[in-house]
Structure formats: C-alpha cells, structure tokens
Amino acid sequence: MTNILLTGSSRGIGAAIAEALERPDVTLVGHGTRSGLAADFADPAAPRQLWEAALERLGGRVDVLINNAGVFEASPLDADHDAWVASWERTLRVNLTAAAELSRLAVLHWQATGGGRLVNIASRAAYRGDSPQHWHYAAAKAGMVAITKTIARGYARDGVLAFAILPGFTMTGMAEEYLASRGGDKLLADIPLGRVAEPAEVAEVARWCALEAPASMTGAAIDVNGASYVR
C-alpha cells in the first residue's frame, strides 16, 4: 500500500489527481479548503500541522508527497506599494514556502524510513515567466523547480526521488477566468495544440510520477503545455 499526501486536493488539478489515485493499492490523504484535512498555508504554522495530521491519519508513514496547493492572484505594477509587497509575501508563502516546509519534513521522514517520492506541481511560468501582474507567481513556481532539482541531487542516495510537473493553461475555473480576462482566442493561438490542457492530463503525469516513474528520472521537470513553451 502506498500512502500519499496531496495538497490542494479539493478542486482543479488537485481534484483530478485525487481521482487518478483512486486505486486499491493507494491510501490518499487530501488537503484543501473544501475537503480533506484543512490547512491555510497563509498561516506559517499550517504546513507542519498538516504534515503531523497526515502522518497520524496514515499510520505514521507517508510514501509520496504531492505539492499542488497554490494561489494565482494578480498584483498590478501600479498597486499601492505595501499592497504589492503583501501580495508577494502571500503568494510566496502559499505557493513556495509551504511546499518547501512540507518537502523538508518529507525528506527527513524518508531518510528515516528508506525513501519516498516528491511530486511538485509547478508551472511553465517557471521558465517562460507570466503576465505583468504575476511576477510573484512565476517566481514561486521557479522556486519549486529549483527545490525539486536540489532535493533530487541531494538525497537520491537516501532513496528520495523528486519530480516537477509544469502545466501551461489548464481548464480549471482559475484558467477559464484568466483566459476570458486576457482574450481567450489570442492566448489559444499561442498553444500549438490548439487547446489548453485538461486537468486529467496533468493528473495522469502526476500519478505516473508518484507511482511508476523510473528512479533515473529523478530531478526531471516535465512539461504539460501543448508545446506553448519548449526547452
């Protein structure tokens, strides 16, 4: 039995990942605002509390951590300075620092238990940037990729494997709202596939990384963006 902790499991990509992991050989603990274990990652105490609650729920063992929770909130360049900084601090706290804290706790746990798998849901924004209102989002996702690669390089000999998944636009409520606000046809023209990704497509990659990806792939950053950004 594989025990998995999935953050941001209540909607969008997270809900699709949870569905993809509905298997008899998986025990999943989800975190979210609508279902699963509750934790507000804007609160610095929340990641550790979530980890401890998940360990208790899973009988003292977490085999896989999937960091998916995040926010995508605009921070206009001409906003009040204090508001702009506060937006940065919230986005980095929720999207990056909370994931880093959980990853640290997971690595320490896996060093003691013989290994595990980390799957970070980042974004193509990590490599190509994002809109002028989302510097902070791009920076946080780039940080997730850097954490993934650092963990992969630093702890492979402990049996710790780490993967990053980089979706482009994905047809969640968040993406639909953004597409509409930015002129959907123009954005779609930038995707050679001609459509945004479905949550189930991202979820399938996450499921594979969590359960099946070969160990030699550790450190990989996997694009799921319809060729809208290639490296």
Side-chain angles (χ1 to χ4, degrees), residues 127-169:
Y127 287 104
R128 66 167 266 171
D130 210 288
S131 83
Q133 298 187 71
H134 294 91
W135 296 12
H136 49 359
Y137 179 83
K141 294 302 185 179
M144 288 189 80
V145 173
I147 287 171
T148 303
K149 292 180 178 295
T150 300
I151 289 172
R153 288 176 58 81
Y155 306 101
R157 291 185 180 180
D158 296 323
V160 176
L161 309 178
F163 310 93
I165 300 172
L166 284 67
F169 286 114

Side-chain angles (χ1 to χ4, degrees), residues 142-229:
M144 288 189 80
V145 173
I147 287 171
T148 303
K149 292 180 178 295
T150 300
I151 289 172
R153 288 176 58 81
Y155 306 101
R157 291 185 180 180
D158 296 323
V160 176
L161 309 178
F163 310 93
I165 300 172
L166 284 67
F169 286 114
T170 306
M171 193 48 70
T172 66
M174 182 172 66
E176 289 170 348
E177 180 181 343
Y178 186 81
L179 283 167
S181 69
R182 302 291 293 179
D185 291 342
K186 182 178 179 181
L187 285 180
L188 289 175
D190 190 41
I191 305 175
L193 188 62
R195 63 171 177 83
V196 300
E198 295 293 335
E201 294 178 297
V202 182
E204 173 58 22
V205 179
R207 182 205 61 77
W208 184 72
C209 288
L211 300 175
E212 298 177 14
S216 289
M217 277 192 64
T218 191
I222 303 168
D223 297 317
V224 189
N225 64 47
S228 60
Y229 185 75

